[in-house]
Amino acid sequence: MDAALEALRDRVLAAGHAGRRLRIRGAGTKDFLGETLQGELLDTAAFAGIVDYEPSELVLTARAGTRLSAIEALLGAHQQFLAFEPPAFGGDPTLGGIVAAGLSGPRRASAGAARDFVLGARLLSAGGECLNFGGRVMKNVAGFDVARLLCGSFGILGVIVEVSIKVLPRPAEELTLGFEMSAADAIEAFNRWSRRPLPLSATSWHDGVARVRLSGVGAAVAAARAVLGGTPIAAEVAARWWAGLRDHTHPFLAPREPLWRVSVAATAPLLGLPGAKLVEWAGALRWLRSTAAAEDVREAARRAGGSAALWHGAGRVPAFEPLPPALLAIHRRLKAGFDPHGLFNPGRLVPGL
Amino acid sequence: MSTTAGFAADEPAFSDLSERPDAARRRSIVAALTAALPPGAVLAEEGDLRPYECDGLSTFRELPVAVVLPSTERAVAATLGVCARLGVPVVARGAGTGLSGGAMPHAAGVVLSLARLNRILELDPAAGIARVEPGVRNLAISEAAAPFGLYYAPDPSSQIACTIGGNVAENAGGVHCLKYGLTLHNVLRVRGYTVTGEPVEFGSLALDAPGLDLLAAVIGSEGLLAIVTEVSVRLLPRPSVARVVMASFDDVGKAGDAVAAIIAAGIIPAGLEMMDRRAAVAVEPFVKAGYDLEAAAILLAESDGTSEEVDAEVARLEQLLAAAGATATAVSRSEAERLRFWSGRKNAFPAAGRISPDYYCMDGTIPRKHLGRVLAAIAALEEELGLRCMNVFHAGDGNLHPLILFDANVPGEWQRAERFGAAIVELCVALGGTITGEHGVGVEKLNSMCVQFTAAERAAFFAVKRAFDVPGLLNPGKLIPTLHRCAEYGRMRVHGGLLPFADLPRF
């Protein structure tokens, strides 16, 4: 066993024997997110490195501590990329953290979420064993899809130590178009355009301007531009815009309280809440700077078919939408099955678990 | 079992070895179901039960105590209520087209057929979402969405018959899943009931939901976690144009290299399929697709999108295929021709049934680079076991469907076919692949699960099972083998000399 992995296992076993709690951390770029951090730090950053990558197989396998920058550099050299555009939050996150948080960037609505690209994961369990789920192949229905269950688990089921992930060819060309319009008109237009065979790869609305990114072969991008109209935005300016949304370096998404992330049905009308907003994902993701009461925000999100997370400012109210009783019971039993002594990331995703 | 990996130590209440209960017990189960359900919803006469004794894998058969055919969600909940109270196993069933025995009845249980829950509840073209009951056929969703220029992307070859509920249970794929994904990637939300009849909802019409991604666990769970009564699927805009390039190769390895070259060039074709000569020869008289019967392998690569995209991509595909050594290429010139090129691939299974009394379809997945090695091993197994095999292959995603031809009326042939299949899937595992890409484990691949997963990994699967289904009544005995079964299989493999390629590294 690799020394860095052995060190992680020994820490897990020792903590288990002593009845201590562990908080798992890669680069710490998402420490702000979720419920209060509890437990001793278990740093996975040292267990790093690309294990396997063959561009023609469209699969990359890497250890949990591998940095996003290293993965992107390697993929970029082969004109490939992580199509779900994992957010970096101004730092250099690890693959383990990316998968544990399960967050996706501007391409989410067209390309899919982080979990859609997870093919396999190795889990260091509470008992100190390494368990493999999924694999390095595109299609795999052997056993329950635990690898994808781990994506977005915030480490509460165990330590993700290795991940196999699907990669895709980088599009040949990209073009961003701008449109002056209201938020309501933008959401309606995004929905209409999404139902047509157009190479949309991202949409956003903020401060009176809708932006649409087209990705694909040159001829298709040019044809779509002719259909949509709008004003082309210079490539560097557009790249900065989408990176700002992806990595939350855009001032609107900066770490200031309160920031709500409201995930709703894409066709839901405006939520009717006070405060400035930024729309992504063809209307399905609405960021909100609102001092409205948490219960009002959550009720509006539920009415719109979704849920609200308090991205910055949690503590006084739960960060994530509370679960209905039937789902909470399943969560409790999953936690009890995978981590019977409550070793990992206590309360990080669901209070009390 | 000791407490491995911190997982709780109990084995499931119902094992994969089940016995038919006595007549008194059967009568009391049927009486309780009949009392709880509308007239005509419970079948219990042997003649009525026979059609349900197997699914698409007819070599595994069992007679259930009863079959329940609810037409409403309420009747589904009532059925679960009765079964939970009496401790009766429940096996959900869609159209019964599954190929791994996942819907094979439990001798002590009831079959819960969801075929009568077959309404399209809502089709929202503006949102691109269809909300349907589980008994709706896969193709019926695309047919209903067609007037709006939309379709449901996953297209398993049984799509005219198979239901969306069954697709959810198996995480069904199809020929377009390299580009458009599996059922998992195209289902937004599933509603249903827990084993005790409590309503539950997984996923959301938004693009994410709070908590753990239980939807990912439920999709592909083969009816072991919950009973599905409503599925919301994502509809995609139908591409304006689709064309297929058909290429012949004089060597299977060259065809495999062509697939790698296409992907490496940055193209994700809408479909990328391969057939070997035996498969082409078997289907050609049946479909008259114009396949090159001299070719060792035929590759079909589909391009879809806007006409500009397709023109550019088809030109690139032709160049790449020629550079990879294709002996001939043809591009479909019309929609009719495109469908004709595909017809042979889509009809490979029925064609196997025409040239052989029986066939056994395997479903392993491998990293694509090992294709040549697996095909060589299959040829060696043909010699060794005296059986023929034709190969069709979802080349883009590495999913193999060797069709082992045999005659069940010849003593010993089925046993040899089973050995043949086990050797193939275990080679897939040894090469870093998996025992099943899209057909599921069911009862068929329980033994192979012992090869792919360690005892601790299987204990984790049981932990998932228990988290959703505390009494262990939903489709017990499928998907996850017991420790006992794996121990038995391990002994058999060693004594029977079954262990194939024992010198290969395992990873």
Short mmCIF file of all heavy atoms in Angstrom, two decimals, chain A residues 54 56-58 108 115-116 129 131-132 137 139-142 144 148 166 195 220 223 261 263-264 305 331 333 337 340, chain B residues 5-7 125-127 178 184-185 204 207-208 212-213 237 263 309 365 368-369 394 397 399 434 436 438 457 461 467 479:
data_model
loop_
_atom_site.label_atom_id
_atom_site.label_comp_id
_atom_site.label_asym_id
_atom_site.label_seq_id
_atom_site.Cartn_x
_atom_site.Cartn_y
_atom_site.Cartn_z
N GLU A 54 -5.74 7.59 -20.58
CA GLU A 54 -5.53 7.34 -21.99
C GLU A 54 -6.59 8.14 -22.74
O GLU A 54 -7.78 7.84 -22.62
CB GLU A 54 -5.65 5.86 -22.30
CG GLU A 54 -4.35 5.14 -22.00
CD GLU A 54 -4.46 3.66 -22.25
OE1 GLU A 54 -4.57 3.28 -23.41
OE2 GLU A 54 -4.44 2.92 -21.27
N SER A 56 -7.78 8.26 -25.64
CA SER A 56 -8.77 7.61 -26.52
C SER A 56 -9.77 6.78 -25.74
O SER A 56 -10.79 6.36 -26.28
CB SER A 56 -8.07 6.75 -27.57
OG SER A 56 -7.48 5.64 -26.96
N GLU A 57 -9.53 6.52 -24.45
CA GLU A 57 -10.52 5.82 -23.62
C GLU A 57 -11.48 6.80 -22.94
O GLU A 57 -12.47 6.39 -22.33
CB GLU A 57 -9.83 4.96 -22.55
CG GLU A 57 -8.93 3.85 -23.08
CD GLU A 57 -9.68 2.62 -23.59
OE1 GLU A 57 -10.83 2.42 -23.18
OE2 GLU A 57 -9.12 1.89 -24.43
N LEU A 58 -11.16 8.09 -22.99
CA LEU A 58 -11.99 9.14 -22.38
C LEU A 58 -12.14 8.98 -20.87
O LEU A 58 -13.15 9.36 -20.30
CB LEU A 58 -13.39 9.20 -23.02
CG LEU A 58 -13.46 9.52 -24.52
CD1 LEU A 58 -14.91 9.46 -25.00
CD2 LEU A 58 -12.89 10.92 -24.81
N ARG A 108 -23.28 22.92 -16.75
CA ARG A 108 -24.14 21.90 -16.13
C ARG A 108 -25.39 21.57 -16.94
O ARG A 108 -25.72 20.41 -17.16
CB ARG A 108 -24.53 22.36 -14.71
CG ARG A 108 -25.71 21.61 -14.08
CD ARG A 108 -25.35 20.17 -13.80
NE ARG A 108 -26.43 19.38 -13.23
CZ ARG A 108 -27.28 18.64 -13.93
NH1 ARG A 108 -27.21 18.62 -15.25
NH2 ARG A 108 -28.20 17.90 -13.32
N ARG A 115 -21.64 14.29 -11.02
CA ARG A 115 -21.99 12.87 -10.81
C ARG A 115 -22.19 12.13 -12.12
O ARG A 115 -21.96 10.92 -12.21
CB ARG A 115 -23.20 12.73 -9.91
CG ARG A 115 -24.53 13.11 -10.53
CD ARG A 115 -25.17 11.89 -11.16
NE ARG A 115 -26.45 11.56 -10.58
CZ ARG A 115 -27.57 11.48 -11.28
NH1 ARG A 115 -27.59 11.73 -12.56
NH2 ARG A 115 -28.68 11.13 -10.67
N ASP A 116 -22.58 12.84 -13.17
CA ASP A 116 -22.78 12.17 -14.46
C ASP A 116 -21.46 11.71 -15.06
O ASP A 116 -21.44 10.85 -15.93
CB ASP A 116 -23.48 13.12 -15.44
CG ASP A 116 -24.90 13.45 -14.99
OD1 ASP A 116 -25.55 12.57 -14.42
OD2 ASP A 116 -25.35 14.59 -15.20
N GLU A 129 -10.69 -0.25 5.31
CA GLU A 129 -10.50 -1.02 4.08
C GLU A 129 -10.73 -0.13 2.87
O GLU A 129 -11.54 0.80 2.91
CB GLU A 129 -11.46 -2.19 4.03
CG GLU A 129 -11.04 -3.32 4.95
CD GLU A 129 -11.82 -4.58 4.70
OE1 GLU A 129 -11.56 -5.24 3.69
OE2 GLU A 129 -12.70 -4.89 5.52
N LEU A 131 -12.41 0.13 -0.64
CA LEU A 131 -13.48 -0.52 -1.39
C LEU A 131 -13.60 0.14 -2.76
O LEU A 131 -13.59 1.37 -2.85
CB LEU A 131 -14.82 -0.36 -0.65
CG LEU A 131 -14.82 -0.68 0.85
CD1 LEU A 131 -16.21 -0.42 1.42
CD2 LEU A 131 -14.43 -2.13 1.08
N ASN A 132 -13.72 -0.68 -3.79
CA ASN A 132 -13.84 -0.15 -5.15
C ASN A 132 -15.27 -0.25 -5.65
O ASN A 132 -15.88 -1.33 -5.59
CB ASN A 132 -12.93 -0.93 -6.10
CG ASN A 132 -11.47 -0.61 -5.84
OD1 ASN A 132 -11.05 0.53 -5.98
ND2 ASN A 132 -10.72 -1.61 -5.40
N VAL A 137 -14.79 2.13 -16.89
CA VAL A 137 -15.50 1.96 -18.16
C VAL A 137 -16.79 2.78 -18.14
O VAL A 137 -17.32 3.10 -17.07
CB VAL A 137 -15.81 0.47 -18.44
CG1 VAL A 137 -14.54 -0.27 -18.79
CG2 VAL A 137 -16.52 -0.19 -17.26
N LYS A 139 -19.88 2.12 -19.16
CA LYS A 139 -21.15 1.47 -18.78
C LYS A 139 -20.86 0.37 -17.79
O LYS A 139 -20.04 -0.50 -18.05
CB LYS A 139 -21.81 0.87 -20.03
CG LYS A 139 -22.42 1.91 -20.93
CD LYS A 139 -22.66 1.35 -22.29
CE LYS A 139 -24.02 0.70 -22.43
NZ LYS A 139 -24.19 0.20 -23.82
N ASN A 140 -21.57 0.42 -16.68
CA ASN A 140 -21.27 -0.51 -15.61
C ASN A 140 -22.46 -0.57 -14.68
O ASN A 140 -22.75 0.39 -13.98
CB ASN A 140 -20.04 0.02 -14.86
CG ASN A 140 -19.56 -0.94 -13.81
OD1 ASN A 140 -20.21 -1.93 -13.50
ND2 ASN A 140 -18.41 -0.64 -13.25
N VAL A 141 -23.19 -1.67 -14.69
CA VAL A 141 -24.36 -1.77 -13.80
C VAL A 141 -24.20 -2.91 -12.79
O VAL A 141 -25.17 -3.46 -12.31
CB VAL A 141 -25.68 -1.89 -14.59
CG1 VAL A 141 -25.96 -0.62 -15.36
CG2 VAL A 141 -25.69 -3.09 -15.53
N ALA A 142 -22.95 -3.26 -12.48
CA ALA A 142 -22.70 -4.32 -11.51
C ALA A 142 -22.78 -3.76 -10.10
O ALA A 142 -21.93 -2.99 -9.68
CB ALA A 142 -21.32 -4.94 -11.76
N PHE A 144 -24.96 -1.75 -6.82
CA PHE A 144 -25.52 -0.40 -6.72
C PHE A 144 -24.46 0.62 -7.14
O PHE A 144 -23.26 0.38 -6.99
CB PHE A 144 -25.97 -0.10 -5.29
CG PHE A 144 -27.05 -1.02 -4.79
CD1 PHE A 144 -26.86 -1.79 -3.65
CD2 PHE A 144 -28.27 -1.12 -5.45
CE1 PHE A 144 -27.85 -2.64 -3.18
CE2 PHE A 144 -29.27 -1.96 -4.99
CZ PHE A 144 -29.06 -2.72 -3.85
N ARG A 148 -21.39 6.93 -7.64
CA ARG A 148 -22.14 8.18 -7.86
C ARG A 148 -22.85 8.63 -6.59
O ARG A 148 -23.08 9.82 -6.39
CB ARG A 148 -23.12 8.01 -9.02
CG ARG A 148 -22.39 7.91 -10.35
CD ARG A 148 -23.33 8.05 -11.53
NE ARG A 148 -22.59 8.20 -12.77
CZ ARG A 148 -22.36 7.20 -13.64
NH1 ARG A 148 -22.81 5.98 -13.39
NH2 ARG A 148 -21.67 7.41 -14.74
N LYS A 166 -15.02 10.46 -16.38
CA LYS A 166 -15.12 10.56 -17.85
C LYS A 166 -14.67 11.96 -18.28
O LYS A 166 -15.06 12.95 -17.68
CB LYS A 166 -16.56 10.31 -18.27
CG LYS A 166 -16.81 10.41 -19.78
CD LYS A 166 -18.27 10.14 -20.11
CE LYS A 166 -18.53 10.28 -21.60
NZ LYS A 166 -19.93 10.00 -21.96
N ARG A 195 -34.78 24.11 -26.18
CA ARG A 195 -35.62 23.08 -26.79
C ARG A 195 -35.32 22.93 -28.27
O ARG A 195 -35.98 22.20 -28.97
CB ARG A 195 -37.12 23.41 -26.62
CG ARG A 195 -37.58 23.59 -25.19
CD ARG A 195 -37.69 22.28 -24.44
NE ARG A 195 -36.41 21.77 -23.97
CZ ARG A 195 -35.79 22.19 -22.85
NH1 ARG A 195 -36.32 23.09 -22.08
NH2 ARG A 195 -34.63 21.68 -22.50
N ALA A 220 -21.15 25.02 -37.02
CA ALA A 220 -22.35 24.95 -36.18
C ALA A 220 -22.48 26.19 -35.31
O ALA A 220 -23.58 26.72 -35.11
CB ALA A 220 -22.28 23.70 -35.30
N ALA A 223 -23.67 29.00 -37.55
CA ALA A 223 -25.09 28.84 -37.90
C ALA A 223 -25.98 29.24 -36.73
O ALA A 223 -27.01 29.90 -36.91
CB ALA A 223 -25.36 27.40 -38.34
N ARG A 261 -28.18 30.10 -2.92
CA ARG A 261 -28.16 29.34 -4.18
C ARG A 261 -29.51 28.65 -4.28
O ARG A 261 -29.83 27.77 -3.48
CB ARG A 261 -27.04 28.30 -4.14
CG ARG A 261 -26.97 27.41 -5.38
CD ARG A 261 -25.97 26.29 -5.10
NE ARG A 261 -25.69 25.47 -6.26
CZ ARG A 261 -26.42 24.41 -6.61
NH1 ARG A 261 -27.49 24.07 -5.92
NH2 ARG A 261 -26.06 23.70 -7.66
N SER A 263 -31.95 26.41 -6.47
CA SER A 263 -32.00 25.46 -7.59
C SER A 263 -33.47 25.15 -7.85
O SER A 263 -34.16 24.64 -6.97
CB SER A 263 -31.23 24.21 -7.16
OG SER A 263 -31.26 23.23 -8.16
N VAL A 264 -33.94 25.48 -9.04
CA VAL A 264 -35.38 25.36 -9.33
C VAL A 264 -35.60 24.74 -10.70
O VAL A 264 -34.66 24.57 -11.48
CB VAL A 264 -36.08 26.74 -9.29
CG1 VAL A 264 -36.04 27.33 -7.90
CG2 VAL A 264 -35.44 27.70 -10.30
N GLY A 305 -40.36 24.21 -7.45
CA GLY A 305 -39.95 22.84 -7.75
C GLY A 305 -38.54 22.50 -7.34
O GLY A 305 -37.97 21.53 -7.84
N HIS A 331 -31.15 8.32 4.82
CA HIS A 331 -29.83 8.90 5.07
C HIS A 331 -29.24 8.37 6.38
O HIS A 331 -28.06 8.03 6.45
CB HIS A 331 -29.92 10.43 5.16
CG HIS A 331 -29.92 11.12 3.82
ND1 HIS A 331 -30.96 11.03 2.93
CD2 HIS A 331 -29.00 11.91 3.22
CE1 HIS A 331 -30.67 11.74 1.84
NE2 HIS A 331 -29.49 12.29 1.99
N ARG A 333 -29.83 5.59 7.93
CA ARG A 333 -29.43 4.18 7.84
C ARG A 333 -28.20 4.00 6.95
O ARG A 333 -27.37 3.13 7.21
CB ARG A 333 -30.61 3.32 7.37
CG ARG A 333 -31.72 3.22 8.43
CD ARG A 333 -32.76 2.18 8.07
NE ARG A 333 -33.51 2.54 6.89
CZ ARG A 333 -34.73 3.08 6.89
NH1 ARG A 333 -35.35 3.30 8.05
NH2 ARG A 333 -35.34 3.36 5.77
N GLY A 337 -24.77 2.44 8.23
CA GLY A 337 -24.18 1.28 7.56
C GLY A 337 -22.73 1.52 7.18
O GLY A 337 -21.89 0.66 7.37
N PRO A 340 -20.65 3.52 11.09
CA PRO A 340 -21.50 3.26 12.26
C PRO A 340 -21.12 4.08 13.50
O PRO A 340 -21.98 4.34 14.34
CB PRO A 340 -21.31 1.76 12.52
CG PRO A 340 -20.17 1.33 11.67
CD PRO A 340 -19.99 2.31 10.59
N ALA B 5 -14.86 -3.96 7.37
CA ALA B 5 -14.97 -2.58 6.91
C ALA B 5 -15.97 -1.77 7.71
O ALA B 5 -16.50 -0.79 7.24
CB ALA B 5 -15.35 -2.55 5.43
N GLY B 6 -16.24 -2.21 8.92
CA GLY B 6 -17.17 -1.45 9.74
C GLY B 6 -18.62 -1.69 9.38
O GLY B 6 -19.51 -1.09 9.98
N PHE B 7 -18.88 -2.53 8.40
CA PHE B 7 -20.27 -2.75 8.01
C PHE B 7 -20.92 -3.76 8.95
O PHE B 7 -20.28 -4.68 9.43
CB PHE B 7 -20.36 -3.23 6.57
CG PHE B 7 -20.00 -2.16 5.60
CD1 PHE B 7 -18.73 -2.09 5.07
CD2 PHE B 7 -20.92 -1.18 5.26
CE1 PHE B 7 -18.38 -1.08 4.20
CE2 PHE B 7 -20.58 -0.17 4.39
CZ PHE B 7 -19.30 -0.10 3.86
N PRO B 125 -43.50 20.50 -23.09
CA PRO B 125 -42.48 20.79 -24.12
C PRO B 125 -41.62 21.99 -23.76
O PRO B 125 -40.43 22.01 -24.11
CB PRO B 125 -43.29 21.04 -25.39
CG PRO B 125 -44.72 21.04 -25.02
CD PRO B 125 -44.87 20.67 -23.58
N ALA B 126 -42.18 22.97 -23.07
CA ALA B 126 -41.40 24.16 -22.72
C ALA B 126 -40.26 23.80 -21.78
O ALA B 126 -39.15 24.32 -21.88
CB ALA B 126 -42.29 25.22 -22.10
N ALA B 127 -40.53 22.88 -20.84
CA ALA B 127 -39.49 22.47 -19.89
C ALA B 127 -38.65 21.33 -20.44
O ALA B 127 -37.58 21.02 -19.91
CB ALA B 127 -40.13 22.06 -18.57
N LEU B 178 -23.06 6.80 -25.66
CA LEU B 178 -21.75 7.43 -25.52
C LEU B 178 -21.92 8.96 -25.54
O LEU B 178 -21.33 9.68 -24.75
CB LEU B 178 -20.82 7.01 -26.66
CG LEU B 178 -19.40 7.59 -26.59
CD1 LEU B 178 -18.66 7.10 -25.36
CD2 LEU B 178 -18.60 7.29 -27.84
N LEU B 184 -29.63 6.87 -16.27
CA LEU B 184 -29.18 7.72 -15.16
C LEU B 184 -29.04 9.19 -15.55
O LEU B 184 -29.35 10.08 -14.77
CB LEU B 184 -27.82 7.20 -14.67
CG LEU B 184 -27.10 8.09 -13.66
CD1 LEU B 184 -27.50 7.68 -12.26
CD2 LEU B 184 -25.61 8.05 -13.82
N HIS B 185 -28.54 9.42 -16.76
CA HIS B 185 -28.26 10.79 -17.19
C HIS B 185 -29.50 11.49 -17.73
O HIS B 185 -29.45 12.67 -18.03
CB HIS B 185 -27.18 10.79 -18.27
CG HIS B 185 -25.90 10.14 -17.84
ND1 HIS B 185 -25.55 8.87 -18.21
CD2 HIS B 185 -24.92 10.56 -17.02
CE1 HIS B 185 -24.39 8.55 -17.67
NE2 HIS B 185 -23.98 9.55 -16.93
N SER B 204 -35.21 15.55 -8.46
CA SER B 204 -35.97 16.80 -8.47
C SER B 204 -36.14 17.27 -9.91
O SER B 204 -35.35 16.90 -10.78
CB SER B 204 -35.20 17.84 -7.66
OG SER B 204 -35.63 19.14 -7.96
N LEU B 207 -32.11 20.90 -11.16
CA LEU B 207 -30.98 20.10 -11.61
C LEU B 207 -30.21 19.44 -10.46
O LEU B 207 -29.26 18.71 -10.70
CB LEU B 207 -30.05 20.94 -12.48
CG LEU B 207 -30.65 21.30 -13.85
CD1 LEU B 207 -29.70 22.18 -14.66
CD2 LEU B 207 -31.01 20.06 -14.64
N ASP B 208 -30.60 19.71 -9.22
CA ASP B 208 -30.04 18.95 -8.10
C ASP B 208 -31.02 18.97 -6.94
O ASP B 208 -32.00 19.71 -6.95
CB ASP B 208 -28.64 19.44 -7.69
CG ASP B 208 -28.54 20.94 -7.68
OD1 ASP B 208 -29.51 21.59 -7.23
OD2 ASP B 208 -27.50 21.48 -8.11
N LEU B 212 -27.85 13.36 0.05
CA LEU B 212 -27.13 12.40 -0.79
C LEU B 212 -27.90 12.17 -2.09
O LEU B 212 -29.13 12.31 -2.13
CB LEU B 212 -26.98 11.07 -0.04
CG LEU B 212 -26.11 11.11 1.22
CD1 LEU B 212 -26.29 9.81 2.01
CD2 LEU B 212 -24.64 11.31 0.85
N ASP B 213 -27.18 11.79 -3.12
CA ASP B 213 -27.80 11.56 -4.43
C ASP B 213 -28.43 10.17 -4.46
O ASP B 213 -27.91 9.24 -5.07
CB ASP B 213 -26.74 11.70 -5.52
CG ASP B 213 -27.35 11.76 -6.91
OD1 ASP B 213 -28.56 11.47 -7.04
OD2 ASP B 213 -26.62 12.10 -7.86
N PRO B 237 -33.98 18.07 -27.73
CA PRO B 237 -34.38 18.44 -29.09
C PRO B 237 -33.85 17.41 -30.09
O PRO B 237 -32.66 17.05 -30.01
CB PRO B 237 -33.73 19.81 -29.30
CG PRO B 237 -32.74 19.99 -28.21
CD PRO B 237 -33.08 19.05 -27.11
N ILE B 263 -12.10 8.74 -31.50
CA ILE B 263 -12.23 9.40 -30.20
C ILE B 263 -11.05 10.35 -29.97
O ILE B 263 -11.22 11.49 -29.52
CB ILE B 263 -12.27 8.36 -29.05
CG1 ILE B 263 -13.39 7.33 -29.29
CG2 ILE B 263 -12.38 9.03 -27.70
CD1 ILE B 263 -14.76 7.76 -29.00
N GLU B 309 -22.89 20.78 -38.69
CA GLU B 309 -22.08 19.90 -37.83
C GLU B 309 -21.89 18.53 -38.48
O GLU B 309 -20.80 17.97 -38.49
CB GLU B 309 -22.79 19.68 -36.48
CG GLU B 309 -22.61 20.79 -35.48
CD GLU B 309 -23.48 20.55 -34.24
OE1 GLU B 309 -24.71 20.42 -34.37
OE2 GLU B 309 -22.91 20.48 -33.15
N THR B 365 -18.19 -5.24 -20.10
CA THR B 365 -17.60 -4.00 -20.62
C THR B 365 -16.10 -4.01 -20.32
O THR B 365 -15.69 -4.46 -19.25
CB THR B 365 -18.26 -2.78 -19.97
OG1 THR B 365 -19.65 -2.81 -20.25
CG2 THR B 365 -17.70 -1.49 -20.53
N ARG B 368 -11.62 -0.11 -24.07
CA ARG B 368 -11.68 -0.45 -25.49
C ARG B 368 -10.38 -1.03 -26.03
O ARG B 368 -10.39 -1.86 -26.94
CB ARG B 368 -12.07 0.77 -26.29
CG ARG B 368 -13.50 0.79 -26.71
CD ARG B 368 -13.76 1.96 -27.60
NE ARG B 368 -13.93 3.19 -26.84
CZ ARG B 368 -13.01 4.11 -26.68
NH1 ARG B 368 -11.83 3.98 -27.23
NH2 ARG B 368 -13.26 5.19 -25.98
N LYS B 369 -9.26 -0.58 -25.46
CA LYS B 369 -7.97 -1.01 -26.00
C LYS B 369 -7.77 -2.52 -25.93
O LYS B 369 -6.93 -3.06 -26.62
CB LYS B 369 -6.84 -0.29 -25.26
CG LYS B 369 -6.80 -0.63 -23.79
CD LYS B 369 -5.76 0.16 -23.04
CE LYS B 369 -5.93 -0.08 -21.54
NZ LYS B 369 -5.09 0.80 -20.73
N HIS B 394 -20.96 -2.49 -28.57
CA HIS B 394 -21.10 -1.03 -28.49
C HIS B 394 -19.68 -0.48 -28.41
O HIS B 394 -19.14 -0.26 -27.32
CB HIS B 394 -21.89 -0.62 -27.25
CG HIS B 394 -23.31 -1.12 -27.21
ND1 HIS B 394 -24.22 -0.84 -28.18
CD2 HIS B 394 -23.96 -1.88 -26.31
CE1 HIS B 394 -25.39 -1.40 -27.88
NE2 HIS B 394 -25.25 -2.04 -26.75
N ASP B 397 -18.37 2.67 -26.24
CA ASP B 397 -18.28 2.63 -24.78
C ASP B 397 -17.77 1.30 -24.26
O ASP B 397 -17.88 1.03 -23.07
CB ASP B 397 -19.59 3.05 -24.12
CG ASP B 397 -20.79 2.44 -24.80
OD1 ASP B 397 -20.65 1.32 -25.29
OD2 ASP B 397 -21.85 3.09 -24.82
N ASN B 399 -18.74 -1.79 -24.53
CA ASN B 399 -19.71 -2.79 -24.05
C ASN B 399 -19.87 -3.91 -25.09
O ASN B 399 -20.32 -3.67 -26.20
CB ASN B 399 -21.04 -2.07 -23.80
CG ASN B 399 -22.09 -2.90 -23.09
OD1 ASN B 399 -23.25 -2.55 -23.10
ND2 ASN B 399 -21.70 -4.00 -22.48
N THR B 434 -16.03 -4.73 -16.44
CA THR B 434 -17.10 -5.12 -15.54
C THR B 434 -17.92 -6.26 -16.13
O THR B 434 -17.93 -6.47 -17.36
CB THR B 434 -18.01 -3.91 -15.23
OG1 THR B 434 -19.07 -4.31 -14.36
CG2 THR B 434 -18.63 -3.35 -16.50
N THR B 436 -21.16 -6.59 -16.20
CA THR B 436 -22.38 -6.18 -16.90
C THR B 436 -22.38 -4.69 -17.18
O THR B 436 -22.20 -3.88 -16.28
CB THR B 436 -23.66 -6.62 -16.16
OG1 THR B 436 -24.81 -6.03 -16.81
CG2 THR B 436 -23.67 -6.24 -14.70
N GLU B 438 -25.00 -3.18 -19.15
CA GLU B 438 -26.34 -2.61 -19.20
C GLU B 438 -27.47 -3.60 -18.96
O GLU B 438 -28.61 -3.19 -18.80
CB GLU B 438 -26.56 -1.91 -20.56
CG GLU B 438 -26.38 -2.84 -21.75
CD GLU B 438 -26.50 -2.12 -23.10
OE1 GLU B 438 -26.74 -0.90 -23.11
OE2 GLU B 438 -26.34 -2.78 -24.14
N GLU B 457 -16.86 -5.14 -0.11
CA GLU B 457 -17.65 -4.36 -1.07
C GLU B 457 -19.08 -4.88 -1.14
O GLU B 457 -20.05 -4.09 -1.18
CB GLU B 457 -16.98 -4.39 -2.45
CG GLU B 457 -15.70 -3.54 -2.49
CD GLU B 457 -14.69 -3.97 -3.54
OE1 GLU B 457 -14.95 -4.95 -4.29
OE2 GLU B 457 -13.62 -3.36 -3.59
N PHE B 461 -22.79 -3.12 -0.31
CA PHE B 461 -24.04 -3.18 -1.09
C PHE B 461 -25.21 -3.59 -0.19
O PHE B 461 -26.32 -3.06 -0.30
CB PHE B 461 -23.91 -4.17 -2.26
CG PHE B 461 -23.00 -3.70 -3.37
CD1 PHE B 461 -22.20 -4.61 -4.06
CD2 PHE B 461 -22.95 -2.37 -3.75
CE1 PHE B 461 -21.37 -4.19 -5.09
CE2 PHE B 461 -22.12 -1.93 -4.78
CZ PHE B 461 -21.32 -2.86 -5.44
N ALA B 467 -30.53 0.11 4.01
CA ALA B 467 -30.89 1.51 4.27
C ALA B 467 -32.23 1.85 3.63
O ALA B 467 -33.00 2.65 4.16
CB ALA B 467 -29.79 2.44 3.76
N LEU B 479 -29.01 -9.44 -7.57
CA LEU B 479 -27.99 -8.39 -7.59
C LEU B 479 -26.78 -8.60 -6.68
O LEU B 479 -25.65 -8.41 -7.11
CB LEU B 479 -28.62 -7.01 -7.31
CG LEU B 479 -27.71 -5.79 -7.44
CD1 LEU B 479 -27.27 -5.56 -8.89
CD2 LEU B 479 -28.40 -4.53 -6.94
#
